[in-house]
Amino acid sequence: MAECPESSTGTEHLFKVLVIGELGVGKTSIIKRYVHRLFSQNYRATIGVDFALKVLSWDASTLIRLQLWDIAGQERFGNMTRVYYKEAVGAFVVFDVSRHSTFEAVLKWKSDLDNKVKLPNGKPIPAVLLANKCDQQWDGLENSPAMMDRYCKDNAFIAWFETSAKENINIDEATRFLVKNILSNDFIHLPENRDVDNVKLTEEPEEAKDKAWCC
Ligand code: GTP
Ligand code: MG
């Protein structure tokens, strides 16, 4: 997490947030929905990693640059995740409610995450579980809030949300929750000379630049 110096307009933060989970669970779709307000039925697997940036006017004096790292599902079998996870301050772990196997893989992603990145105080980075494609039938899982609450508690997720990139359900809410949690870790400071501009980001649409956070 980088805290930029106070400017005349207030404080600016740069937060690196990871989006991880099995192939085809909807990570890219969630990011596209959130940043560009778009959804497509076409599936094109992400190769390696992709990036998107969303600028949030959090409140009158706080600007947040949210750098979303869209990590390909197939990367769980590669050895690059350690590099991709570096300096992240929050994560979404996504599964597809209509494919039970993707829920079974959640803990593999969570332990990969916890083994490879930590907050400066040594604690795990906050992770939110996203039960995506909630516009479809749950497969082999009882859609029980009590069960999911217990699962999150047992496995150190700070929260879970049912989401749909297709129907635009709960994506803003989940992100707001995670950002709030990241902001509360205000003891975190990265080295001052960290060159965040070295990271190439996809172009930010006008709409995303101008829009204040709203949900
Ligand atoms: P990888 O890049 O391979 O890791 O996959 P991904 O997790 O990025 O999945 P992606 O966003 O490409 O979505 C995979 C497929 O699921 C696409 O055909 C999407 O249109 C579809 N999809 C994504 N989100 C939803 C959703 O909320 N509901 C429904 N019905 N389909 C969705
Ligand atoms: Mg993808």
Side-chain angles (χ1 to χ4, degrees):
M1 182 186 315
E3 190 172 331
C4 309
E6 294 255 343
S7 69
S8 55
T9 52
T11 311
E12 290 189 21
H13 300 273
L14 175 76
F15 294 155
K16 173 176 172 180
V17 169
L18 308 170
V19 186
I20 58 178
E22 289 295 87
L23 272 135
V25 294
K27 300 176 296 293
T28 301
S29 304
I30 287 169
I31 293 171
K32 277 210 175 120
R33 167 62 78 189
Y34 180 61
V35 176
H36 304 286
R37 304 285 163 203
L38 294 173
F39 176 76
S40 160
Q41 294 278 3
N42 298 331
Y43 175 40
R44 235 184 43 207
T46 304
I47 309 293
V49 66
D50 208 346
F51 308 96
L53 179 73
K54 173 99 171 175
V55 180
L56 306 173
S57 301
W58 186 259
D59 60 31
S61 61
T62 313
L63 190 85
I64 294 173
R65 294 180 196 282
L66 203 60
Q67 204 180 75
L68 295 158
W69 285 55
D70 177 7
I71 293 164
Q74 61 193 19
E75 285 297 314
R76 186 160 68 78
F77 307 103
N79 49 16
M80 285 298 286
T81 53
R82 188 180 296 280
V83 177
Y84 298 150
Y85 294 173
K86 214 164 169 254
E87 292 179 350
V89 293
F92 289 114
V93 183
V94 186
F95 72 97
D96 171 352
V97 300
S98 69
R99 279 191 298 142
H100 190 257
S101 61
T102 65
F103 178 69
E104 286 167 352
V106 160
L107 290 187
K108 293 177 190 154
W109 282 101
K110 180 69 162 66
S111 63
D112 190 48
L113 184 71
D114 291 345
N115 287 333
K116 292 178 181 166
V117 63
K118 289 196 174 15
L119 294 177
N121 66 357
K123 290 195 171 167
I125 66 170
V128 169
L129 181 62
L130 299 184
N132 192 43
K133 306 196 191 179
C134 72
D135 53 283
Q136 299 199 339
Q137 285 288 321
W138 284 61
D139 165 41
L141 273 175
E142 190 198 345
N143 177 6
S144 149
M147 185 279 284
M148 289 299 291
D149 287 349
R150 197 168 52 246
Y151 181 88
C152 285
K153 210 169 162 205
D154 291 348
N155 298 294
F157 285 98
I158 59 167
W160 71 283
F161 288 81
E162 271 188 292
T163 57
S164 169
K166 186 178 178 195
E167 305 291 341
N168 193 18
I169 297 170
N170 270 344
I171 292 171
D172 285 358
E173 288 79 357
T175 313
R176 185 174 180 81
F177 186 93
L178 180 60
V179 169
K180 233 175 163 177
N181 192 284
I182 294 169
L183 270 172
S184 71
N185 295 324
D186 61 358
F187 49 83
I188 301 164
H189 295 281
L190 287 180
E192 274 165 24
N193 59 357
R194 180 173 170 223
D195 185 0
V196 294
D197 292 335
N198 277 341
V199 180
K200 192 169 173 288
L201 299 169
T202 53
E203 206 174 302
E204 184 193 351
E206 286 303 316
E207 164 205 343
K209 277 184 208 155
D210 296 335
K211 225 175 234 168
W213 181 281
C214 149
C215 69

PDB file of all heavy atoms in Angstrom, residues 67-82:
ATOM      1  N   GLN A  67      -5.489  -0.720  -7.920  1.00  0.00           N
ATOM      2  CA  GLN A  67      -4.815  -1.430  -9.005  1.00  0.00           C
ATOM      3  C   GLN A  67      -5.237  -2.895  -8.904  1.00  0.00           C
ATOM      4  O   GLN A  67      -4.881  -3.569  -7.938  1.00  0.00           O
ATOM      5  CB  GLN A  67      -3.319  -1.288  -8.740  1.00  0.00           C
ATOM      6  CG  GLN A  67      -2.414  -1.425  -9.895  1.00  0.00           C
ATOM      7  CD  GLN A  67      -0.986  -1.251  -9.425  1.00  0.00           C
ATOM      8  OE1 GLN A  67      -0.429  -2.157  -8.807  1.00  0.00           O
ATOM      9  NE2 GLN A  67      -0.394  -0.113  -9.692  1.00  0.00           N
ATOM     10  N   LEU A  68      -6.033  -3.354  -9.858  1.00  0.00           N
ATOM     11  CA  LEU A  68      -6.579  -4.710  -9.792  1.00  0.00           C
ATOM     12  C   LEU A  68      -5.720  -5.644 -10.643  1.00  0.00           C
ATOM     13  O   LEU A  68      -5.556  -5.415 -11.847  1.00  0.00           O
ATOM     14  CB  LEU A  68      -8.030  -4.711 -10.286  1.00  0.00           C
ATOM     15  CG  LEU A  68      -8.974  -3.904  -9.390  1.00  0.00           C
ATOM     16  CD1 LEU A  68     -10.223  -3.485 -10.141  1.00  0.00           C
ATOM     17  CD2 LEU A  68      -9.343  -4.702  -8.145  1.00  0.00           C
ATOM     18  N   TRP A  69      -5.189  -6.672 -10.019  1.00  0.00           N
ATOM     19  CA  TRP A  69      -4.323  -7.645 -10.715  1.00  0.00           C
ATOM     20  C   TRP A  69      -5.154  -8.887 -11.006  1.00  0.00           C
ATOM     21  O   TRP A  69      -5.541  -9.621 -10.090  1.00  0.00           O
ATOM     22  CB  TRP A  69      -3.106  -7.992  -9.845  1.00  0.00           C
ATOM     23  CG  TRP A  69      -2.084  -6.896  -9.823  1.00  0.00           C
ATOM     24  CD1 TRP A  69      -2.282  -5.587  -9.487  1.00  0.00           C
ATOM     25  CD2 TRP A  69      -0.690  -7.017 -10.161  1.00  0.00           C
ATOM     26  NE1 TRP A  69      -1.100  -4.878  -9.594  1.00  0.00           N
ATOM     27  CE2 TRP A  69      -0.109  -5.732 -10.002  1.00  0.00           C
ATOM     28  CE3 TRP A  69       0.120  -8.073 -10.571  1.00  0.00           C
ATOM     29  CZ2 TRP A  69       1.238  -5.490 -10.238  1.00  0.00           C
ATOM     30  CZ3 TRP A  69       1.473  -7.832 -10.805  1.00  0.00           C
ATOM     31  CH2 TRP A  69       2.014  -6.551 -10.645  1.00  0.00           C
ATOM     32  N   ASP A  70      -5.421  -9.089 -12.279  1.00  0.00           N
ATOM     33  CA  ASP A  70      -6.278 -10.180 -12.764  1.00  0.00           C
ATOM     34  C   ASP A  70      -5.365 -11.355 -13.122  1.00  0.00           C
ATOM     35  O   ASP A  70      -4.756 -11.378 -14.188  1.00  0.00           O
ATOM     36  CB  ASP A  70      -7.041  -9.655 -13.992  1.00  0.00           C
ATOM     37  CG  ASP A  70      -7.907 -10.706 -14.637  1.00  0.00           C
ATOM     38  OD1 ASP A  70      -8.035 -11.817 -14.083  1.00  0.00           O
ATOM     39  OD2 ASP A  70      -8.467 -10.408 -15.715  1.00  0.00           O
ATOM     40  N   ILE A  71      -5.293 -12.309 -12.223  1.00  0.00           N
ATOM     41  CA  ILE A  71      -4.321 -13.400 -12.391  1.00  0.00           C
ATOM     42  C   ILE A  71      -5.004 -14.616 -13.010  1.00  0.00           C
ATOM     43  O   ILE A  71      -6.033 -15.084 -12.518  1.00  0.00           O
ATOM     44  CB  ILE A  71      -3.655 -13.698 -11.035  1.00  0.00           C
ATOM     45  CG1 ILE A  71      -2.799 -12.476 -10.671  1.00  0.00           C
ATOM     46  CG2 ILE A  71      -2.816 -14.970 -11.089  1.00  0.00           C
ATOM     47  CD1 ILE A  71      -2.362 -12.383  -9.273  1.00  0.00           C
ATOM     48  N   ALA A  72      -4.427 -15.106 -14.099  1.00  0.00           N
ATOM     49  CA  ALA A  72      -5.036 -16.227 -14.837  1.00  0.00           C
ATOM     50  C   ALA A  72      -5.204 -17.440 -13.929  1.00  0.00           C
ATOM     51  O   ALA A  72      -4.307 -17.765 -13.141  1.00  0.00           O
ATOM     52  CB  ALA A  72      -4.158 -16.592 -16.025  1.00  0.00           C
ATOM     53  N   GLY A  73      -6.351 -18.120 -14.064  1.00  0.00           N
ATOM     54  CA  GLY A  73      -6.601 -19.320 -13.266  1.00  0.00           C
ATOM     55  C   GLY A  73      -5.522 -20.370 -13.440  1.00  0.00           C
ATOM     56  O   GLY A  73      -5.150 -21.067 -12.497  1.00  0.00           O
ATOM     57  N   GLN A  74      -4.989 -20.434 -14.658  1.00  0.00           N
ATOM     58  CA  GLN A  74      -3.977 -21.463 -14.912  1.00  0.00           C
ATOM     59  C   GLN A  74      -2.654 -21.186 -14.187  1.00  0.00           C
ATOM     60  O   GLN A  74      -1.799 -22.053 -14.103  1.00  0.00           O
ATOM     61  CB  GLN A  74      -3.735 -21.614 -16.416  1.00  0.00           C
ATOM     62  CG  GLN A  74      -3.228 -20.366 -17.083  1.00  0.00           C
ATOM     63  CD  GLN A  74      -3.302 -20.444 -18.621  1.00  0.00           C
ATOM     64  OE1 GLN A  74      -4.026 -21.246 -19.174  1.00  0.00           O
ATOM     65  NE2 GLN A  74      -2.532 -19.603 -19.278  1.00  0.00           N
ATOM     66  N   GLU A  75      -2.521 -19.997 -13.624  1.00  0.00           N
ATOM     67  CA  GLU A  75      -1.278 -19.654 -12.930  1.00  0.00           C
ATOM     68  C   GLU A  75      -1.076 -20.423 -11.623  1.00  0.00           C
ATOM     69  O   GLU A  75       0.021 -20.433 -11.066  1.00  0.00           O
ATOM     70  CB  GLU A  75      -1.220 -18.150 -12.648  1.00  0.00           C
ATOM     71  CG  GLU A  75      -0.918 -17.325 -13.869  1.00  0.00           C
ATOM     72  CD  GLU A  75       0.444 -17.623 -14.473  1.00  0.00           C
ATOM     73  OE1 GLU A  75       1.431 -17.699 -13.730  1.00  0.00           O
ATOM     74  OE2 GLU A  75       0.500 -17.806 -15.708  1.00  0.00           O
ATOM     75  N   ARG A  76      -2.139 -21.063 -11.114  1.00  0.00           N
ATOM     76  CA  ARG A  76      -1.959 -21.844  -9.878  1.00  0.00           C
ATOM     77  C   ARG A  76      -0.952 -22.971 -10.107  1.00  0.00           C
ATOM     78  O   ARG A  76      -0.312 -23.447  -9.183  1.00  0.00           O
ATOM     79  CB  ARG A  76      -3.288 -22.412  -9.379  1.00  0.00           C
ATOM     80  CG  ARG A  76      -3.149 -23.094  -8.028  1.00  0.00           C
ATOM     81  CD  ARG A  76      -4.467 -23.217  -7.318  1.00  0.00           C
ATOM     82  NE  ARG A  76      -5.397 -24.125  -7.946  1.00  0.00           N
ATOM     83  CZ  ARG A  76      -5.330 -25.462  -7.850  1.00  0.00           C
ATOM     84  NH1 ARG A  76      -4.367 -26.030  -7.176  1.00  0.00           N
ATOM     85  NH2 ARG A  76      -6.235 -26.212  -8.437  1.00  0.00           N
ATOM     86  N   PHE A  77      -0.827 -23.382 -11.353  1.00  0.00           N
ATOM     87  CA  PHE A  77       0.090 -24.483 -11.656  1.00  0.00           C
ATOM     88  C   PHE A  77       1.450 -23.955 -12.115  1.00  0.00           C
ATOM     89  O   PHE A  77       2.352 -24.711 -12.404  1.00  0.00           O
ATOM     90  CB  PHE A  77      -0.535 -25.397 -12.719  1.00  0.00           C
ATOM     91  CG  PHE A  77      -1.911 -25.840 -12.315  1.00  0.00           C
ATOM     92  CD1 PHE A  77      -3.038 -25.266 -12.875  1.00  0.00           C
ATOM     93  CD2 PHE A  77      -2.071 -26.793 -11.320  1.00  0.00           C
ATOM     94  CE1 PHE A  77      -4.314 -25.646 -12.473  1.00  0.00           C
ATOM     95  CE2 PHE A  77      -3.345 -27.176 -10.915  1.00  0.00           C
ATOM     96  CZ  PHE A  77      -4.465 -26.608 -11.488  1.00  0.00           C
ATOM     97  N   GLY A  78       1.590 -22.653 -12.190  1.00  0.00           N
ATOM     98  CA  GLY A  78       2.868 -22.074 -12.590  1.00  0.00           C
ATOM     99  C   GLY A  78       3.622 -21.616 -11.356  1.00  0.00           C
ATOM    100  O   GLY A  78       3.199 -21.862 -10.224  1.00  0.00           O
ATOM    101  N   ASN A  79       4.743 -20.969 -11.562  1.00  0.00           N
ATOM    102  CA  ASN A  79       5.501 -20.533 -10.384  1.00  0.00           C
ATOM    103  C   ASN A  79       5.683 -19.017 -10.345  1.00  0.00           C
ATOM    104  O   ASN A  79       6.608 -18.517  -9.756  1.00  0.00           O
ATOM    105  CB  ASN A  79       6.857 -21.250 -10.303  1.00  0.00           C
ATOM    106  CG  ASN A  79       7.570 -21.193 -11.623  1.00  0.00           C
ATOM    107  OD1 ASN A  79       7.197 -20.381 -12.476  1.00  0.00           O
ATOM    108  ND2 ASN A  79       8.588 -22.035 -11.824  1.00  0.00           N
ATOM    109  N   MET A  80       4.746 -18.310 -11.004  1.00  0.00           N
ATOM    110  CA  MET A  80       4.877 -16.851 -11.044  1.00  0.00           C
ATOM    111  C   MET A  80       4.060 -16.151  -9.969  1.00  0.00           C
ATOM    112  O   MET A  80       4.185 -14.938  -9.787  1.00  0.00           O
ATOM    113  CB  MET A  80       4.429 -16.336 -12.429  1.00  0.00           C
ATOM    114  CG  MET A  80       5.444 -16.595 -13.516  1.00  0.00           C
ATOM    115  SD  MET A  80       6.996 -15.757 -13.186  1.00  0.00           S
ATOM    116  CE  MET A  80       6.536 -14.071 -13.552  1.00  0.00           C
ATOM    117  N   THR A  81       3.204 -16.884  -9.263  1.00  0.00           N
ATOM    118  CA  THR A  81       2.299 -16.174  -8.351  1.00  0.00           C
ATOM    119  C   THR A  81       3.070 -15.400  -7.283  1.00  0.00           C
ATOM    120  O   THR A  81       2.652 -14.336  -6.873  1.00  0.00           O
ATOM    121  CB  THR A  81       1.255 -17.118  -7.710  1.00  0.00           C
ATOM    122  OG1 THR A  81       1.913 -18.214  -7.114  1.00  0.00           O
ATOM    123  CG2 THR A  81       0.227 -17.582  -8.725  1.00  0.00           C
ATOM    124  N   ARG A  82       4.220 -15.937  -6.852  1.00  0.00           N
ATOM    125  CA  ARG A  82       4.996 -15.214  -5.829  1.00  0.00           C
ATOM    126  C   ARG A  82       5.343 -13.799  -6.319  1.00  0.00           C
ATOM    127  O   ARG A  82       5.301 -12.831  -5.563  1.00  0.00           O
ATOM    128  CB  ARG A  82       6.276 -15.992  -5.493  1.00  0.00           C
ATOM    129  CG  ARG A  82       7.038 -15.404  -4.314  1.00  0.00           C
ATOM    130  CD  ARG A  82       8.292 -16.203  -4.026  1.00  0.00           C
ATOM    131  NE  ARG A  82       8.007 -17.569  -3.617  1.00  0.00           N
ATOM    132  CZ  ARG A  82       7.632 -17.933  -2.392  1.00  0.00           C
ATOM    133  NH1 ARG A  82       7.489 -17.023  -1.459  1.00  0.00           N
ATOM    134  NH2 ARG A  82       7.389 -19.193  -2.110  1.00  0.00           N
TER     135      ARG A  82
END
